[in-house]
């Protein structure tokens, strides 16, 4: 009851004209920046941070949060339409979103993405409102041992994420981990695998890698489609035709709700973030969803799972940020910096000492979610027109976006060169039937896995027994082992059945 | 003489990389140092697994049909490398403008009006977002730098 009263008070603060407008402007800017390949939520929030300094602290933070939040919506657009994820969490959205666009249903994909983002965000914010501080305390129980065990579970699913050949999936996963080990050793801070190159000291740059593997490889592939004068087959271009049918809504609701709950929990974990949220939600749907085996072929369920997973994780990340002062992601760290610049100290006392601010911020997330959904739906018809552009024009257009995006990642032509190299790698992998999504996700998850795994072994003096001594880790490792063994058991059972 | 299936090239490369990672990991960074996992611990395990899986892939891939590559696949790569080189000389946006217009007018054989319109829209949009709004400092090229000096 007290929470509800505080929330209502928060709505009074958030609904003042200035704060409402700030949330609206933040939502528009967030969508635009999120849709730009190569910018992403972290860089987007960081770049737009100075814009908020002109306002009162509460208005500034509301705007910043709306930017962060809307970024998650925007990131999926370029993934769906061009197969270039605007941000890492959108990688999973593109797995089903882009095939849907290719099938002539870009509007359905975008609409599903928006609705699922809204559901994910709403559930995430409700959970944050009700059990935010408690969730944050639970998240703190995830030390290196538990985090390593969680990523192990994620990694086992990676290889079988796509494709019929597990060997190829595992190879791309391992290749992704290999790339992630280049640069500085995150545990002891010494350089490794830099091969004497000053550029490789910082490791393989992430944004050029994403743009190259997904975007530029797509350009090379599109050369085969050049003879087609039209773009993809997009018959349905109106907003009305993009609306979901009753059957489609029924199909996306269960994965959206499941993924939102999982995503919020993932968002609460320190260092996990929206990417892990989207990834694990998609994996959950692939494993337990009614049409899980069809994911990756252009299913609305896949788009819904990924989008609600990443948006709820984005909301969940506010729990440790506000109640403990611990950012759940890199973008959370920028938000934390923003809060501190305004003289606010996030932590358990923030809820007590600054209730107007804290609950105003939480209430503004609800408002930002509604505003972002409205804007996102209105721009669907304009967005899907992109796919009507003939392939011949799309090739230089996407190449230009790839070059600009990879350059702006670190303001260096080195980024462009890396993007081109990974574009060729991505094209070769696709041509030979290797799934490319596991490479990227392994690259993202590997540093967290290595850091936590090594720290866990340091705690236990090198004994693996620590993974079975901690209850949460033991459960996760049990699940991990089950995931490893289950395909073999399934195969044996299948063979026995066919013999009979 | 029997032709080698080009499908094995990729697993050969990944096997080589796996081997390099194991060798450097063990020889330079160390498996365990002071009773704790060293810098080479994680990369060595990854490299060894990659080596093993790549060998398995070489065996299985050699039996499959070889995919075809065409010279046109490499045209966007050559053009993009050209843009990078040209950007160093005349600057980022002039190089991109020439690339987009050149591709549309001479490679895709669009008429002058379409080529110009698409080029202007693309470059203006990119300049507006990246250079003006996000203030990304793009290189102006040796020539312009020389003139400005």
């Amino acid at each position: 009851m007290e929470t509800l009263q505080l929330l209502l008070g928060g709505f009074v603060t958030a609904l003042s004209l200035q704060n409402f407008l700030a949330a609206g402007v933040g939502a528009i800017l967030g969508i635009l920046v999120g849709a730009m390949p190569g910018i992403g939520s972290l860089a987007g929030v960081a770049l737009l941070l100075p814009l908020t300094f002109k306002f009162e602290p509460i208005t500034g933070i509301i705007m910043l949060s709306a930017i962060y939040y809307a970024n998650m919506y925007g990131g999926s657009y370029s993934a769906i339409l061009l197969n270039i994820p605007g941000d890492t969490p959108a990688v999973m959205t593109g797995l089903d979103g882009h095939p849907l666009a290719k099938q002539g249903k870009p509007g359905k994909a975008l609409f599903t993405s928006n609705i699922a983002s809204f559901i994910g965000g709403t559930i995430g914010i409700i959970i944050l409102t009700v059990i935010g501080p408690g969730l944050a305390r639970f998240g703190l129980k995830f030390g290196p041992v538990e985090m390593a065990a969680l990523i192990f579970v994620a990694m086992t699913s990676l290889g079988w994420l796509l494709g019929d050949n597990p060997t190829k999936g595992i190879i791309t996963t391992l290749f992704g981990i290999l790339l992630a080990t280049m640069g500085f050793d995150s545990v002891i801070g010494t350089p490794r695998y830099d091969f004497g190159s000053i550029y490789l000291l910082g490791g393989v740059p992430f944004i050029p890698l994403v743009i190259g593997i997904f975007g530029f490889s797509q350009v090379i592939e599109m050369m085969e489609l050049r003879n087609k004068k039209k773009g993809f087959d997009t018959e349905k271009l109106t907003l009305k035709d993009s609306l979901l049918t009753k059957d489609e809504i029924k199909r996306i609701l269960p994965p959206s709700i499941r993924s939102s709950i999982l995503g919020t929990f993932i968002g609460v974990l320190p260092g996990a973030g929206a990417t892990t949220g989207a990834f694990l939600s998609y994996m959950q749907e692939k494993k337990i969803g009614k049409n899980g085996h069809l994911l990756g072929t252009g299913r609305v369920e896949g788009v819904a799972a990924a989008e609600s997973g990443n948006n709820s994780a984005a909301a969940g990340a506010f729990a440790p940020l506000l109640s403990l002062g611990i950012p759940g992601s890199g973008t959370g760290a920028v938000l934390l910096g923003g809060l501190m610049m305004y003289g606010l100290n996030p932590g358990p006392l923030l809820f007590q000492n600054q209730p107007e601010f804290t609950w105003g911020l939480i209430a503004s997330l609800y408002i930002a979610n509604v505003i972002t959904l409205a804007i996102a739906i209105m721009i669907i018809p304009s967005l899907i027109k992109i796919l009507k552009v003939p392939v011949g024009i799309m090739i230089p257009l996407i190449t230009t976006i790839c070059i600009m995006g990879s350059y702006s990642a670190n303001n260096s032509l080195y980024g462009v060169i890396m993007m081109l190299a990974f574009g060729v790698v991505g094209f070769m992998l696709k041509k030979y039937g290797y799934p490319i999504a596991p490479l990227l996700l392994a690259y993202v998850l590997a540093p967290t896995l290595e850091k936590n795994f090594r720290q866990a072994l340091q705690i236990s003096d090198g004994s693996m027994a620590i993974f079975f001594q901690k209850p949460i880790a033991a459960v996760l490792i049990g699940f991990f082992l089950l995931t490893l063994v289950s395909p073999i058991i399934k195969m044996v059972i299948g063979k026995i059945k066919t013999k009979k | 003489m029997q032709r080698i299936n080009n499908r094995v090239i990729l697993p050969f490369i990944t096997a080589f990389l796996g081997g390099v990672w194991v060798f450097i990991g063990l020889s330079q960074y160390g498996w365990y140092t002071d009773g704790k996992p060293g810098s080479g611990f994680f990369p060595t395990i990854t490299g060894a697994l990659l080596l093993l899986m790549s060998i398995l892939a070489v065996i299985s891939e050699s039996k499959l049909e070889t995919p075809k590559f065409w010279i046109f696949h490499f045209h966007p790569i050559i053009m993009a490398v050209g843009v990078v080189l040209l950007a160093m000389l005349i600057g980022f946006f002039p190089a991109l403008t020439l690339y987009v217009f050149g591709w549309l007018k001479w490679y895709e054989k669009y008429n002058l009006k379409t080529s110009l319109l698409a080029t202007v829209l693309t470059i203006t949009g990119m300049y507006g977002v990246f250079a003006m709004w996000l203030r990304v400092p793009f290189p102006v090229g040796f020539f312009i730098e020389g003139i400005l000096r």
Side-chain angles (χ1 to χ4, degrees):
Chain A
M1 198 64 198
E2 194 196 356
T3 305
L4 198 65
Q5 275 179 344
L6 288 164
L7 184 66
L8 284 175
F11 271 109
V12 173
T13 309
L15 282 170
S16 73
L17 184 66
Q18 194 180 358
N19 293 346
F20 186 78
L21 285 176
V25 172
I28 296 169
L29 291 177
I31 288 181
L32 288 175
V33 172
M36 294 288 159
I39 301 293
S41 68
L42 176 58
V45 172
L47 284 165
L48 297 172
L49 182 66
L51 283 183
T52 66
F53 289 160
K54 292 171 186 166
F55 306 111
E56 294 286 311
I58 178 73
T59 312
I61 288 295
I62 283 174
M63 189 174 176
L64 208 55
S65 306
I67 290 170
Y68 166 58
Y69 207 71
N71 239 293
M72 295 292 152
Y73 276 71
S76 64
Y77 297 163
S78 52
I80 290 170
L81 299 172
L82 306 173
N83 202 23
I84 309 174
D87 199 1
T88 17
V91 170
M92 304 311 295
T93 313
L95 295 181
D96 278 280
H98 190 62
L100 263 171
K102 274 181 158 175
Q103 290 162 19
K105 297 170 188 165
K108 296 263 183 205
L110 291 167
F111 208 90
T112 307
S113 160
N114 289 333
I115 295 290
S117 295
F118 179 74
I119 295 171
T122 307
I123 293 178
I125 303 163
I126 291 171
I127 296 175
L128 171 72
T129 310
V130 181
I131 52 169
L135 259 181
R137 276 192 294 276
F138 181 67
L140 274 187
K141 287 185 181 165
F142 273 68
V145 184
E146 289 80 5
M147 277 306 286
L150 181 71
I151 309 265
F152 267 129
V153 174
M155 286 286 189
T156 41
S157 318
L158 270 176
W160 301 313
L161 181 65
L162 279 177
D164 308 320
N165 190 337
T167 312
K168 289 182 178 176
I170 296 169
I171 286 178
T172 47
T173 305
L174 292 165
F175 184 52
I177 302 176
L178 212 77
L179 292 175
T181 60
M182 294 172 83
F184 273 92
D185 174 353
S186 58
V187 178
I188 53 172
T190 53
R192 64 179 180 186
Y193 298 99
D194 57 0
F195 302 99
S197 161
I198 191 169
Y199 292 109
L200 289 175
L201 260 179
V204 174
F206 178 67
I207 291 169
L209 172 73
V210 180
I211 297 178
I213 289 256
F214 281 93
F216 196 63
S217 68
Q218 172 94 352
V219 170
I220 307 173
E221 266 191 318
M222 281 169 93
M223 290 300 288
E224 289 173 14
L225 302 169
R226 265 185 66 240
N227 294 335
K228 282 187 183 177
K229 278 291 163 196
K230 288 271 177 189
F232 293 122
D233 184 20
T234 51
E235 288 164 18
K236 297 178 176 178
L237 285 173
T238 63
L239 180 59
K240 196 183 161 195
D241 291 328
S242 304
L243 293 174
L244 298 175
T245 60
K246 264 187 188 173
D247 174 56
E248 284 164 335
I249 292 171
K250 269 186 196 167
R251 275 166 51 200
I252 68 161
L253 270 181
S256 297
I257 294 166
R258 278 195 292 268
S259 303
S260 303
I261 296 166
L262 177 68
T264 310
F265 171 70
I266 299 293
V268 169
L269 301 177
T275 307
T276 319
F279 168 66
L280 287 178
S281 300
Y282 188 87
M283 287 320 305
Q284 173 184 252
E285 196 49 36
K286 198 162 173 73
K287 283 205 164 92
I288 65 168
K290 200 176 159 189
N291 296 314
H293 61 291
L294 294 172
L295 258 58
T297 59
R299 304 288 299 184
V300 283
E301 294 92 327
V303 176
E307 275 304 296
S308 40
N310 82 42
N311 274 59
S312 55
F318 277 96
L321 180 73
L322 295 176
S323 58
L324 299 163
I326 299 170
S329 63
T331 319
V334 179
L335 285 174
L336 178 67
L339 286 169
M340 288 170 142
M341 270 188 258
Y342 283 114
L344 298 157
N345 287 314
L349 292 176
L350 187 72
F351 278 84
Q352 285 175 25
N353 297 344
Q354 308 269 354
E356 193 192 347
F357 167 80
T358 316
W359 289 100
L361 173 60
I362 293 174
S364 76
L365 290 178
Y366 284 95
I367 295 164
N369 202 22
V370 175
I371 295 174
T372 312
L373 177 70
I375 294 167
I377 287 176
M378 279 192 285
I379 59 172
I380 285 179
S382 322
L383 283 172
I384 44 187
K385 277 181 189 154
I386 291 173
L387 290 183
K388 289 283 268 185
V389 177
V391 174
I393 296 178
M394 284 292 260
I395 290 171
L397 177 69
I398 299 178
T399 306
T400 309
I401 296 173
C402 290
I403 293 174
M404 302 285 282
S406 52
Y407 179 86
S408 28
N410 46 10
N411 299 338
S412 161
L413 285 171
Y414 167 67
V416 183
I417 294 163
M418 290 302 268
M419 179 277 290
L420 294 176
F422 282 112
V424 176
V425 171
F427 172 67
M428 300 290 271
L429 287 171
K430 281 196 253 182
K431 194 84 181 165
Y432 289 122
Y434 287 77
I436 53 172
L439 184 156
L440 206 62
L441 291 157
Y443 178 88
V444 174
L445 296 173
T448 318
L449 173 65
E450 183 186 7
K451 193 176 159 194
N452 287 292
F453 186 54
R454 282 171 63 189
Q455 280 176 350
L457 289 178
Q458 281 178 0
I459 294 166
S460 67
D461 286 326
S463 168
M464 291 280 188
I466 195 164
F467 288 100
F468 299 96
Q469 287 163 350
K470 301 220 170 198
I472 297 173
V475 170
L476 289 169
I477 291 291
F479 186 70
F480 163 67
L481 294 173
L482 197 71
T483 320
L484 278 182
V485 177
S486 62
I488 303 165
I489 297 172
K490 265 187 192 173
M491 202 171 71
V492 172
I493 294 171
K495 277 190 178 174
I496 293 168
K497 274 185 181 172
T498 45
K499 270 186 184 177
K500 276 181 182 175
Chain B
M1 203 175 96
Q2 198 185 354
R3 263 186 77 191
I4 298 170
N5 188 338
N6 65 23
R7 277 185 173 274
V8 299
I9 296 172
L10 215 59
F12 263 126
I13 295 171
T14 51
F16 173 74
L17 287 174
V20 169
W21 249 247
V22 172
F23 177 73
I24 299 178
L26 291 175
S27 61
Q28 285 184 27
Y29 305 125
W31 175 257
Y32 258 68
T33 43
D34 304 327
K36 288 167 189 166
S39 265
F41 176 75
F42 195 71
T44 303
I45 295 174
T46 312
L49 288 171
L50 183 61
L51 180 63
L52 182 75
M53 296 310 293
S54 303
I55 292 167
L56 288 176
V58 168
I59 299 164
S60 59
E61 288 289 281
S62 56
K63 296 165 196 163
L64 300 171
E65 198 187 329
T66 308
K68 280 179 185 166
F69 290 92
W70 306 98
I71 192 71
F72 64 72
H73 281 132
F74 301 96
H75 289 170
I77 306 162
I78 297 164
M79 290 300 279
V81 171
V83 170
V84 173
L85 296 173
L86 204 60
M88 289 190 222
L89 292 174
I90 61 167
F92 215 81
F93 283 99
L96 277 174
T97 309
L98 281 177
Y99 157 66
V100 177
F101 181 76
W103 184 280
L104 294 173
K105 181 76 187 82
W106 292 294
Y107 193 84
E108 297 290 348
K109 310 258 188 281
Y110 278 103
N111 61 39
L112 185 68
K113 191 184 158 194
T114 311
S115 306
L116 265 178
L117 189 68
T119 307
V120 169
L121 285 175
T122 306
I123 300 301
T124 315
M126 295 294 152
Y127 187 81
V129 172
F130 286 94
M132 290 176 75
W133 184 33
L134 299 172
R135 296 183 184 279
V136 177
F138 287 101
V140 289
F142 296 138
F143 286 154
I144 306 287
E145 267 178 19
I147 293 165
L148 289 175
R149 270 182 209 152

